[in-house]
Amino acid sequence: MAVLAQAEAGEIAARLRNLALPAHQDLRAPESGLVMLRGRVGGDGAPFNLGEATVSRAAVRLASGEVGFGYTLGRDGDKARLIALCDALVQSRDHGGAVERGVIAPLREQLMIRRKQAAVETAATKVDFYTMVRGEG
């Protein structure tokens, strides 16, 4: 689910087009709303309300009965629906392996490449500070 949430909707849709999708229906049409973000000072302090974030959600049921749920940050209802469809397909005995190989694994690989590239770009800006000891006193 984390891979799908971080992928672009167009990437997910393009990979799903390569699969023979079973009949499915929306249980919950895509909708957007707000969730409260909570934080803790120092990671273990008392929790506090940090603010709100917009999220979209959807639910899909396959003709064979599997139900998938999709959530994503932002107002992209289509992406939430695609995530829900992938969630339902992964649960299916007939389609789970194909979705893992054809959709999730390639998206995971792209995500790892982007993370490595960002790490390399960040490392290039690293500045090492050191202290010189003066010979006085």
Side-chain angles (χ1 to χ4, degrees):
M1 296 306 285
V3 170
L4 294 171
Q6 294 178 32
E8 296 293 325
E11 294 173 336
I12 300 170
R15 296 194 181 282
L16 281 174
R17 276 194 284 272
N18 298 330
L19 302 177
L21 297 178
H24 56 277
Q25 67 180 26
D26 289 346
L27 280 181
R28 179 185 300 261
E31 60 185 1
S32 296
L34 295 172
V35 295
M36 180 61 67
L37 301 177
R38 308 261 302 168
R40 290 178 181 265
V41 175
D44 61 355
F48 63 94
N49 292 336
L50 182 64
E52 295 175 330
T54 305
V55 295
S56 296
R57 68 179 179 177
V60 173
R61 179 173 45 214
L62 301 181
S64 55
E66 292 86 358
V67 176
F69 299 93
Y71 291 84
T72 187
L73 283 172
R75 299 176 58 96
D76 193 347
D78 292 334
K79 181 177 175 182
R81 186 179 179 286
L82 291 169
I83 292 172
L85 179 58
C86 287
D87 183 35
L89 289 169
V90 166
Q91 297 174 50
S92 169
R93 218 175 317 183
D94 299 331
H95 303 284
V99 171
E100 177 61 38
R101 286 186 306 275
V103 179
I104 298 173
L107 291 174
R108 184 180 299 118
E109 186 176 325
Q110 284 180 353
L111 178 62
M112 296 311 289
I113 289 170
R114 281 187 286 214
R115 284 183 179 173
K116 285 180 184 177
Q117 184 179 9
V120 168
E121 291 172 2
T122 302
T125 64
K126 180 179 178 184
V127 177
D128 289 322
F129 293 95
Y130 60 92
T131 303
M132 293 180 59
V133 178
R134 295 175 58 170
E136 300 171 357

